[in-house]
Amino acid sequence: MASIKEEEVKLIGNLPSMASRKVEIALQLKGIKYEFLEEHDLKHNKSPELLKYNPVHKKVPVLIHSGRPIAESLVILEYIDETWTQEPALLPSDPYERASARFWSKFIDDKCYPAVRKYLTLGSETEVESARAEAQEGLQFLENELKGKKYFGGETIGMVDVVAVGVAFWQQTLEEIMQMEPANSCQDFPLLCAWADELLGCSVISDNLPSKDKFSSLIQSRLQFAAAASAASK
Amino acid sequence: MGKNHEEVQLIGTWVSPFVFRARVALNLKSVSYEFLEEKVGAKSDLLLKSNPVHKKIPVLIHHGKPICESLVIVQYIDEVFDGVKILPEDPYDRAIHRFWAAFLDDKFFPALKTIRMVQGEEVQKKLVEIKEGLALLDEALVKLSKGKPFFGGDQLGYLDIALSGFVAWIQVREKTYDVKLIDESIIPNLAAWVDSLRAHPAVKDIIPTADGLIEWVRVNLGPPPAPAAN
């Protein structure tokens, strides 16, 4: 009889969703085989599977293991780590270090991402400046956390690194493709810069991130949408 | 001296539902701790030093090291101190407890908290949102408890602790808006759960009364904000 770990793993996700990317990275880091079920139109046409497996939030990602669903990316990441205990460990074994990893993961998800996203999608100049400052404040905490470490997880990639993948990605792509000053420039945040290089140098990570072209057009369309919305409301 | 007698401090207030979670967890594990109460309107140096990122309570300090964020604290307490296990053993059950705890923080509590800021029709909308949340929790309780009194079964578990801090505040809203939110005719399981929770040794001596909280709000926060001018 196959152990529960070997039973079917599926992931309902969406290519642009950073939350889906994080879960895929975690699964691939652990070498777990899974089937990716893509949601093509989250705005207007959510699949029956998504509605069935995440009736409360109707959001991606949703991991389905042996027919049982788990939703919320941070919850999924901990589930993956506890169910498949092979290397790499996403969470360290020391309770204080675990608490720290959980704290930073939540901080990145609840504060950093929204702040950087806000900065990316705002139209007017004054709003952009204050959004940038807010994003930078959050990023400074992360910069401080990296002192003396290669990754947030120490010598190896851990949960916080996986959760912060979008931060690394934005840093590398924004300046290059957008001619936009990223909130986390290498000058202001040298440790984050070095960390992003290390992280994105891993094929498991970079294979799961959108191509720069795709990302560029996604951001462009968001900026256009925000500009149109702002013009319409004047 | 056993682990549960090591120097532990908790920075918080008696009104915060998040601090309450940490206190229940510590009580459950029979951990003695020093409760460092924050004054309203003036954050202590210790708080600002211990939680520079959020500057919020609760903060647990163990061996001089701070741990922040109530659910992170509860999991830390579970992992470090001996006694009854707070999180279930099975990873899937743990995921379900964690999922609902996140729901409480991301969806349920914001509705409960911000009802104070709105007027008229918006109040009704928030009340509906709160009731819908409670109905979901009632359903989850049936599935998770398997006929026992708590989400954790016979004992308080992670989700019991996560929800425990909101019980008194739900009762505050019931009084303020003259509405029954924990209605035993609609959510009988959760209604029974509230009674079991209130009687639990880890909870009964520290749970605030609704009247006490209402008075605290009146004294410290003043009346609700006036409706926006048209």
Side-chain angles (χ1 to χ4, degrees):
Chain A
M1 188 166 84
S3 79
I4 198 161
K5 294 176 198 188
E6 287 155 19
E7 285 167 32
E8 228 172 33
V9 181
K10 297 186 196 190
L11 177 67
I12 307 179
N14 172 256
L15 286 179
S17 150
M18 248 338 146
S20 295
R21 301 279 71 67
K22 295 177 218 176
V23 174
E24 286 210 85
I25 286 167
L27 289 167
Q28 289 177 26
L29 281 170
K30 295 262 194 185
I32 300 160
K33 290 194 178 54
Y34 63 98
E35 188 190 347
F36 185 69
L37 305 171
E38 195 183 343
E39 287 288 312
H40 294 284
D41 186 0
L42 280 173
K43 271 202 177 74
H44 306 113
N45 197 12
K46 297 182 182 184
S47 74
E49 286 75 27
L50 178 60
L51 299 176
K52 173 182 162 192
Y53 288 118
N54 191 1
V56 175
H57 301 297
K58 307 177 179 58
K59 282 184 173 177
V60 296
V62 182
L63 189 79
I64 307 162
H65 183 205
S66 307
R68 299 194 298 181
I70 302 115
E72 294 292 294
S73 61
L74 295 183
V75 177
I76 296 172
L77 291 178
E78 288 220 46
Y79 177 80
I80 289 171
D81 204 35
E82 289 171 353
T83 305
W84 292 279
T85 52
Q86 66 267 34
E87 296 284 306
L90 294 178
L91 280 173
S93 50
D94 172 71
Y96 186 78
E97 298 301 318
R98 291 161 73 81
S100 179
R102 287 178 175 133
F103 173 87
W104 289 113
S105 298
K106 197 149 193 330
F107 172 72
I108 290 163
D109 255 16
D110 289 354
K111 294 268 168 337
C112 283
Y113 275 131
V116 180
R117 209 179 293 135
K118 192 168 143 192
Y119 168 63
L120 282 180
T121 55
L122 282 178
S124 92
E125 250 184 58
T126 44
E127 285 181 283
V128 160
E129 269 318 300
S130 83
R132 185 155 172 267
E134 201 188 322
Q136 285 190 311
E137 198 185 61
L139 293 165
Q140 188 59 54
F141 285 119
L142 296 184
E143 176 80 6
N144 297 345
E145 188 54 24
L146 273 175
K147 277 203 183 78
K149 298 201 280 196
K150 186 168 158 187
Y151 298 109
F152 288 103
E155 276 306 299
T156 53
I157 293 173
M159 183 158 116
V160 181
D161 300 281
V162 174
V163 173
V165 128
V167 173
F169 184 68
W170 280 323
Q171 174 159 61
Q172 295 232 328
T173 47
L174 272 179
E175 206 163 24
E176 195 184 304
I177 55 172
M178 301 293 299
Q179 279 90 57
M180 192 175 175
E181 221 187 309
N184 48 341
S185 73
C186 281
Q187 216 174 356
D188 294 334
F189 303 103
L191 296 178
L192 273 175
C193 204
W195 163 79
D197 278 339
E198 283 287 350
L199 199 68
L200 298 177
C202 300
S203 59
V204 170
I205 308 283
S206 57
D207 285 351
N208 278 295
L209 294 173
S211 72
K212 290 181 180 175
D213 291 336
K214 227 175 176 171
F215 181 71
S216 173
S217 62
L218 182 70
I219 294 297
Q220 293 288 10
S221 67
R222 282 208 185 140
L223 283 173
Q224 280 163 17
F225 180 80
S230 142
S233 65
K234 287 198 169 89
Chain B
M1 259 212 180
K3 252 200 286 193
N4 294 19
H5 297 276
E6 287 164 354
E7 205 183 80
V8 178
Q9 297 160 309
L10 181 70
I11 309 176
T13 63
W14 63 274
V15 299
S16 159
F18 302 101
V19 172
F20 191 77
R21 289 170 170 172
R23 297 176 74 191
V24 174
L26 289 165
N27 284 355
L28 208 57
K29 298 275 197 180
S30 305
V31 176
S32 14
Y33 63 97
E34 193 188 350
F35 190 37
L36 302 171
E37 286 211 64
E38 285 286 301
K39 290 187 175 52
V40 179
K43 297 188 186 197
S44 69
D45 287 342
L46 182 63
L47 175 60
L48 297 175
K49 189 183 100 177
S50 309
N51 191 357
V53 175
H54 300 298
K55 307 174 179 59
K56 280 183 172 179
I57 51 172
V59 180
L60 186 79
I61 305 175
H62 187 214
H63 295 314
K65 295 200 285 193
I67 300 107
C68 309
E69 295 290 294
S70 63
L71 294 177
V72 176
I73 291 171
V74 170
Q75 291 182 94
Y76 176 83
I77 289 168
D78 197 29
E79 289 171 11
V80 163
F81 296 107
D82 299 327
V84 68
K85 277 289 160 206
I86 292 172
L87 272 152
E89 285 301 311
D90 178 68
Y92 188 74
D93 292 336
R94 291 158 86 100
I96 299 304
H97 276 248
R98 286 179 176 137
F99 170 85
W100 286 110
F103 168 80
L104 286 177
D105 283 2
D106 297 343
K107 294 264 148 42
F108 183 74
F109 180 65
L112 193 66
K113 181 179 175 183
T114 58
I115 191 173
R116 207 179 162 262
M117 321 281 187
V118 299
Q119 312 284 334
E121 211 182 273
E122 289 302 311
V123 167
Q124 293 312 310
K125 284 191 190 159
K126 296 269 179 195
L127 287 173
V128 166
E129 212 183 318
I130 293 167
K131 285 182 187 175
E132 282 173 351
L134 289 170
L136 286 172
L137 290 163
D138 187 77
E139 233 180 271
L141 177 60
V142 172
K143 287 198 190 120
L144 290 173
S145 66
K146 300 185 179 70
K148 306 274 172 78
F150 300 113
F151 290 95
D154 280 315
Q155 257 301 358
L156 293 182
Y158 186 67
L159 186 52
D160 298 282
I161 293 176
L163 183 53
S164 68
F166 300 135
V167 167
W169 282 104
I170 291 168
Q171 289 166 340
V172 166
R173 297 303 185 232
E174 285 183 326
K175 287 198 165 196
T176 308
Y177 296 96
D178 193 24
V179 62
K180 209 157 185 191
L181 295 169
I182 309 273
D183 188 338
E184 57 271 8
S185 65
I186 302 175
I187 47 171
N189 307 287
L190 207 61
W193 174 86
V194 168
D195 292 336
S196 304
L197 179 85
R198 290 185 146 278
H200 193 284
V203 170
K204 65 181 167 64
D205 295 331
I206 56 168
I207 192 164
T209 61
D211 287 336
L213 290 175
I214 290 170
E215 181 58 17
W216 182 91
V217 168
R218 191 189 66 79
V219 167
N220 292 290
L221 300 181
N230 285 333

